[in-house]
Amino acid sequence: MTTKPKLCYFRGRGRMESIRWLLAAGGVEFEEEFIETTEQYEKLQKDGCLLFGQVPMVEIDGMVLTQTRAILSYLAAKYDLYGKDLKETVRINMYADGTLDLMMMTAQAAFKPPEEKEENLTLIVKKAKTRYFPAFEKVGGYHSTLDLTEALSWRARCARVLSREAGSPSETAARAGPARGAGGGAGVFKRPAGTPSYARGELGAGRTRSGKPSAGKILNDHGEDFLVGNKFSWADIQLLEAILMVEELDASVLSDFPLLKAFKARISNIPTIKKFLQPGSPRKPPSDSHYVEVVRGILQF
């Protein structure tokens, strides 16, 4: 019988919550040991379990792991949530790191003095609306150079057909409509079956002339259900976690982000995620004053 992963942390979200999310999304059952006294924490340190004297700690596959980022990377790779190649993996890392920055601001706000806490929470919502969520709302997916070449080739063939039919460059331009990259029109072409979904009539959504993805475009023109490689990954899980955390501060935070709203609904309905969002799951509530008091007492800060 396979031993369940064992998580060791305080009885709250903190840095362990993303680890819980990742395991749950992978359909993995796990056990938890909650640190509730200074003695428990000191024993872990004396036993050499905490490499740098810090939690979270996870026991899995005969190893004792610490450091949040290392744990998350291992779990994402183990449960096939880390992309099919290095290019997808680095994009997943990039998106996950961005959302982790936002979530850590939220987690740390609970430990601020009352007069600073409200100001911090307001700032978090503002940053979510102006920095983090706009990035995900607009980003187009990265696809292979081969697919881009095929898309451009199809566009060129269509242009040649129109040129023969219209008889002049001006008529061709009028009938084709403006390219998206040059003014926003969609043109009159319909993509034939098998044409990549990101073949938009110019260089491809979210791309520079070199064929590389441009910054600032993830969901817009992406044409896929997930953030990377049209496959469920750690990036999707952590973005949903971040969205739900910020919605606890401002329920209307997605009002200007229709693609993120659709993304939230789509990912929330994945069976393992849906189960984790139900009452009674290992998901932890927002940090309250009791949690803050316990953690302060154990860590003595």
Side-chain angles (χ1 to χ4, degrees), residues 22-23 60-61 69-84 89 92-93 231-235 237:
L22 202 50
L23 286 167
I60 185 172
D61 295 339
R69 188 68 172 74
I71 296 169
L72 288 167
S73 297
Y74 179 78
L75 296 177
K78 179 178 175 66
Y79 298 113
D80 194 23
L81 297 164
Y82 217 10
K84 70 176 184 296
T89 297
I92 290 170
N93 285 337
K231 183 180 179 183
F232 186 46
S233 75
W234 171 25
I237 299 162

Side-chain angles (χ1 to χ4, degrees), residues 15-16 35 67 74 94 102 108 134 137 162 244 264:
R15 292 183 177 272
M16 184 64 87
I35 302 172
Q67 300 305 115
Y74 179 78
M94 184 169 63
L102 180 61
Q108 291 163 5
E137 181 78 5
L162 265 183
L244 295 179
K264 172 193 165 186

Side-chain angles (χ1 to χ4, degrees), residues 53-104:
Q54 300 171 319
V55 287
M57 183 188 85
V58 174
E59 296 180 35
I60 185 172
D61 295 339
M63 300 183 291
V64 176
L65 303 179
T66 58
Q67 300 305 115
T68 310
R69 188 68 172 74
I71 296 169
L72 288 167
S73 297
Y74 179 78
L75 296 177
K78 179 178 175 66
Y79 298 113
D80 194 23
L81 297 164
Y82 217 10
K84 70 176 184 296
D85 55 33
L86 282 175
K87 287 184 177 180
E88 288 192 357
T89 297
V90 75
R91 289 177 58 227
I92 290 170
N93 285 337
M94 184 169 63
Y95 300 157
D97 278 358
T99 50
L100 187 61
D101 288 346
L102 180 61
M103 291 189 294
M104 283 301 99

